[in-house]
Amino acid sequence: MARLANLETEYPVLDSTVRNFCASHGIFSVEDFLIHDLYMLAAFAEQNDSSERLKEGIAQVLSIIDDMHQPWLNGMELLEDAKRNKHVFPTGIQGIDLLLGDGIRVGQLTELVGPSSSGKTQVCLRTASNVARNHMVLYLDTGNSFSPQCIAYFLGKTISPSSAQAKNQFLQKVMSNISCHSVFDIFAMFDVLHQLESYLRCQDGRGCCQMRLLIVDSISSLISPVLGSSSTLGRALMTSAGYLLKKLAHQHNLAVLIINHTVGGEGGSSKPALGDSWKCIPHSRLFLSCDRGSNTYNVSILRHPSMASVKAARFVI
């Protein structure tokens, strides 16, 4: 979903009159429109001198939202889509790849949950370094966690003996395939994801090196602040973020890897942050922890579309 100012070329009815009216009610994008009381908005439009024009604009935005819904697919179409497009990308971490059946799945959201220092960012960096050997990766960094030094270290561990020049060329190739953006609020993330969506539409069908992995480190850092300010607005933004991430994954065959933190649960246990409204968003959920005083990590599956029972593994990064 996009900002209203970017839609006028395709939809002339969304001109400055409509946009200024919307802006006066705090509506600048389709997301803002979704979380607004449409009955109140229509009532305000009726009181305006340009009421007919405004009602046309409101109807146009509703039509745009309706067009964004995907048509229903029958079981055979879903099976064919899964066979044709939904592959997996190895993370490069043996324990996790064995646990997931070769890696993270394209077309789905995989969530890494865990407390601080449980290895979540390290898994993201290792996965980025592995996928970027042959594909482009977009890394959204919300807390200055991205480390090119770690990427180089992981690559150095897996490069077979060769000349220094060959190693340097390989490193340059992989690093150039990773694009890192710093985003510090949810609205900045929406802007980057809308730009990504436009880019993916242009690259689909081309033979160039394509974007295949999107990492958000971390989604909870962006959503938690808006949940605390207003429950209605925050939940709507959270739902919009989840919808957009899943849409990008499914329509453009991306593997989406996101980080979520933990909060205190009943009896002092830890549980994933963002609450029950978010837990249905990720297709797969992995819980990470670290053995105190060692570099051994533990991972267990909290949720997976093709695994009914909880499984666990140990790994070293």
Side-chain angles (χ1 to χ4, degrees):
M1 299 184 188
R3 296 184 67 83
L4 299 182
N6 298 333
L7 297 174
E8 184 181 0
T9 301
E10 188 173 356
Y11 306 100
V13 69
L14 301 179
D15 57 13
S16 59
T17 300
V18 174
R19 295 200 309 275
N20 289 338
F21 169 76
C22 290
S24 69
H25 294 277
I27 300 173
F28 300 93
S29 67
V30 177
E31 283 88 358
D32 298 335
F33 196 93
L34 280 169
I35 62 179
H36 204 86
D37 187 327
L38 296 184
Y39 292 103
M40 291 292 294
L41 192 65
F44 284 124
E46 284 284 359
Q47 301 169 13
N48 195 287
D49 293 337
S50 304
S51 59
E52 291 302 318
R53 183 68 171 175
L54 297 179
K55 285 189 286 186
E56 287 180 20
I58 292 172
Q60 180 63 74
V61 177
L62 288 173
S63 176
I64 293 171
I65 293 171
D66 187 59
D67 289 342
M68 288 177 174
H69 290 91
Q70 294 299 299
W72 289 4
L73 300 176
N74 62 38
M76 199 64 212
E77 289 170 327
L78 290 169
L79 179 61
E80 289 300 320
D81 179 68
K83 288 179 178 179
R84 183 173 61 254
N85 297 318
K86 305 304 184 279
H87 308 300
V88 296
F89 285 132
T91 65
I93 302 172
Q94 186 177 20
I96 292 180
D97 289 339
L98 287 174
L99 191 65
L100 293 178
D102 297 329
I104 58 175
R105 192 161 296 277
V106 172
Q108 296 186 359
L109 267 68
T110 301
E111 183 182 70
L112 302 176
V113 180
S116 178
S117 302
S118 58
K120 302 184 296 296
T121 292
Q122 296 298 306
V123 172
C124 287
L125 293 171
R126 182 68 179 270
T127 305
S129 69
N130 207 49
V131 175
R133 293 166 178 262
N134 300 300
H135 306 282
M136 294 178 65
V137 175
L138 178 60
Y139 198 112
L140 301 189
D141 183 9
T142 71
N144 296 320
S145 299
F146 181 79
S147 172
Q149 293 84 359
C150 283
I151 299 286
Y153 170 75
F154 292 140
L155 291 172
K157 291 177 62 177
T158 58
I159 297 176
S160 58
S162 60
S163 67
Q165 182 180 3
K167 288 183 178 180
N168 188 54
Q169 289 176 343
F170 178 74
L171 177 62
Q172 289 182 358
K173 172 194 171 185
V174 173
M175 296 298 285
S176 65
N177 281 344
I178 301 175
S179 177
C180 180
H181 287 260
S182 295
V183 291
F184 300 115
D185 63 66
I186 194 169
F187 301 104
M189 184 187 74
F190 279 131
D191 284 341
V192 174
L193 293 182
H194 291 146
Q195 293 174 34
L196 173 63
E197 187 173 23
S198 298
Y199 168 79
L200 291 173
R201 287 200 196 101
C202 294
Q203 78 157 20
D204 283 349
R206 295 183 179 181
C208 59
C209 181
Q210 295 187 325
M211 185 76 67
R212 282 292 173 256
L213 174 63
L214 168 63
I215 295 174
V216 184
D217 179 7
S218 70
I219 193 70
S220 50
S221 297
L222 301 177
I223 294 177
S224 293
V226 297
L227 285 179
S229 59
S230 169
S231 59
T232 303
L233 173 61
R235 289 180 186 276
L237 289 171
M238 179 174 67
T239 302
S240 295
Y243 166 81
L244 184 53
L245 288 169
K246 293 177 84 168
K247 176 186 174 186
L248 289 170
H250 176 71
Q251 291 189 356
H252 300 286
N253 295 315
L254 287 179
V256 179
L257 184 61
I258 58 179
I259 283 180
N260 191 3
H261 295 101
T262 56
V263 295
E266 295 182 2
S269 60
S270 297
K271 65 177 184 179
L274 304 182
D276 292 339
S277 298
W278 176 260
K279 72 178 183 180
C280 64
I281 298 293
H283 296 88
S284 301
R285 261 188 164 176
L286 306 181
F287 189 89
L288 273 62
S289 62
C290 180
D291 292 342
R292 184 172 297 178
S294 75
N295 64 341
T296 301
Y297 297 84
N298 306 297
V299 57
S300 59
I301 294 179
L302 299 181
R303 180 182 181 186
H304 195 281
S306 60
M307 296 182 186
S309 59
V310 175
K311 296 185 178 181
R314 293 165 68 85
F315 62 94
V316 176
I317 298 180

